[in-house]
Amino acid sequence: MLFTQNQPESFQTGDIAAMAEYGISTGQRVVVIWDRSSPVEALKSLVDKLQELAGDESHVSVENINQLLQSAHKESSFDVVLSGLVPGSTTLHSTEILAEIARILRPGGQVLLKEPVETASVHEGKVKTAAKLCSTLTLSGLVEVKELQKESLTPEEVQSVQEHLGYQSDSLVSIQVTGKKPNFEVGSSTQLKLSFPKKNAVSEKPAVDPNAAKLWTLSASDMNDDGMDLIDSDELLDPEDLKKPDPASLRATSCGEGTKRKACKNCTCGLAEELEQEKVKEQKRSQPKSACGNCYLGDAFRCASCPYLGMPAFKPGEKILLSEKNLHDA
């Protein structure tokens, strides 16, 4: 949609000065984004002023914000994008819209937008805070994002917020924010020119200081040198160091105390082995005693009432567990 007619409608001179300062010059392609809250006459007046500012060679396109994603503009189509700048409009920019604006901008292109924001962060809704708006612009791929000016809403803008956005708050203000697209496209690549020092055909070892090498060299002649004192490591030990410590002295003060003696986990003082030996002795005492002393030899040497009858031969003192059946039969 192109506007080339001159219509003498009033327009805020401050916005024109701001746009002239932030990126619009002769020969550039500019797109103006509007929404249903934008007055038609104010939109036409804005386009006429932009044509005067950019010159006859420039094209000023107009795009509805609800049709921007379906308009299928090519990448890097515009030098400047102006959104929400129609006087009396209250345009909100979603994340998808801001990403599309960054896509259709040429590398190095400028975006200037105006949007009502909340000054109180306690409100949670579709209206962003100024910090959130700047953050969303940055995440969309723009750089040098900054807030230009902040002003109170006009009575027309307050009414527009209530009618078109269904939002009512006493802490709303209107801000203008600008951003710039980096001087490269997403996915672009370039060759890096790296310079590396040339390697010699034969790698040369770094020179070694003879005095430094001598400090860390010990030869056989040095071992026989009468001026060198060698220390025997065994002489560093005292007689007390050679004595085997008493196991009782290695135990903790509370180790093994109480009615039921119990070794600590990962015991190192010998209490675990001592308790294991006591357990083995107790098991041996609980085993049935042989009257003839030949029970371990096998059934051929066992009595008719031997509790080991039917079991294989075993070594003397070997632990043998008798089942309840064998004990009952005996």
Side-chain angles (χ1 to χ4, degrees):
M1 183 176 180
L2 289 180
F3 286 91
T4 57
Q5 303 178 7
N6 294 327
Q7 298 186 14
E9 299 291 341
S10 61
F11 186 75
Q12 297 178 2
T13 58
D15 291 339
I16 286 291
M19 287 183 287
E21 182 180 356
Y22 290 96
I24 299 179
S25 58
T26 303
Q28 289 185 325
R29 290 183 57 85
V30 182
V31 59
V32 178
I33 300 175
W34 62 282
D35 66 349
R36 60 177 182 170
S37 67
S38 304
V40 177
E41 295 300 324
L43 175 60
K44 292 180 179 180
S45 177
L46 171 60
V47 174
D48 290 340
K49 295 294 183 181
L50 291 174
Q51 286 283 22
E52 295 177 6
L53 183 65
D56 294 336
E57 298 179 0
S58 175
H59 294 289
V60 179
S61 302
V62 179
E63 191 71 60
N64 185 282
I65 194 170
N66 296 323
Q67 301 298 323
L68 182 62
L69 298 177
Q70 288 77 31
S71 59
H73 288 292
K74 295 182 179 180
E75 292 183 356
S76 305
S77 299
F78 300 98
D79 299 289
V80 180
V81 175
L82 306 175
S83 181
L85 293 176
V86 179
S89 64
T90 53
T91 306
L92 296 182
H93 302 83
S94 64
T95 304
E96 293 78 11
I97 293 297
L98 294 177
E100 179 66 11
I101 290 175
R103 188 186 70 85
I104 64 178
L105 264 180
R106 291 177 179 174
Q110 299 279 347
V111 57
L112 179 65
L113 60 86
K114 186 177 180 181
E115 180 173 331
V117 296
E118 275 284 3
T119 56
S121 58
V122 294
H123 294 274
E124 293 184 2
K126 51 187 175 182
V127 179
K128 311 178 189 69
T129 61
K132 181 66 175 179
L133 178 58
C134 293
S135 175
T136 308
L137 280 167
T138 302
L139 294 177
S140 300
L142 301 179
V143 296
E144 300 181 17
V145 177
K146 57 184 177 181
E147 180 182 330
L148 298 181
Q149 69 180 54
K150 181 185 297 183
E151 57 188 6
S152 302
L153 297 180
T154 63
E156 292 80 7
E157 290 174 340
V158 173
Q159 183 179 358
S160 177
V161 169
Q162 296 175 357
E163 292 180 357
H164 299 96
L165 303 180
Y167 192 87
Q168 187 172 1
S169 174
D170 297 332
S171 56
L172 287 179
V173 295
S174 178
I175 67 169
Q176 289 187 19
V177 180
T178 183
K180 180 181 178 182
K181 186 172 182 177
N183 293 321
F184 56 84
E185 281 290 1
V186 176
S188 59
S189 61
T190 184
Q191 184 177 3
L192 298 178
K193 296 182 180 180
L194 303 177
S195 59
F196 297 97
K198 295 182 179 180
K199 296 183 178 180
N200 298 330
V202 179
S203 58
E204 299 179 357
K205 294 183 178 180
V208 180
D209 186 3
N211 295 328
K214 186 177 181 181
L215 292 175
W216 298 99
T217 303
L218 186 64
S219 62
S221 59
D222 295 329
M223 301 294 294
N224 297 325
D225 188 2
D226 296 336
M228 178 175 291
D229 296 332
L230 299 179
I231 300 176
D232 187 0
S233 58
D234 294 336
E235 296 180 356
L236 300 176
L237 299 176
D238 296 331
E240 295 294 331
D241 298 330
L242 301 177
K243 293 182 180 180
K244 185 177 180 179
D246 185 8
S249 63
L250 301 177
R251 297 180 183 177
T253 55
S254 59
C255 185
E257 294 182 357
T259 56
K260 186 176 180 180
R261 301 176 67 195
K262 184 178 180 181
C264 304
K265 186 178 181 181
N266 300 326
C267 177
T268 58
C269 67
L271 181 61
E273 291 79 359
E274 181 181 340
L275 295 178
E276 184 65 24
Q277 292 177 1
E278 294 179 358
K279 184 177 179 181
V280 172
K281 292 180 181 179
E282 183 65 25
Q283 290 177 350
K284 288 183 178 181
R285 288 195 295 266
S286 63
Q287 291 287 340
K289 295 183 179 180
S290 173
C292 62
N294 297 326
C295 299
Y296 69 93
L297 296 176
D299 287 347
F301 300 92
R302 293 169 181 165
C303 307
S305 60
C306 182
Y308 298 101
L309 193 63
M311 299 181 66
F314 56 88
K315 296 180 181 180
E318 185 178 1
K319 179 180 179 181
I320 303 297
L321 299 178
L322 300 177
S323 62
E324 294 290 340
K325 181 179 179 182
N326 290 342
L327 293 174
H328 181 74
D329 294 342

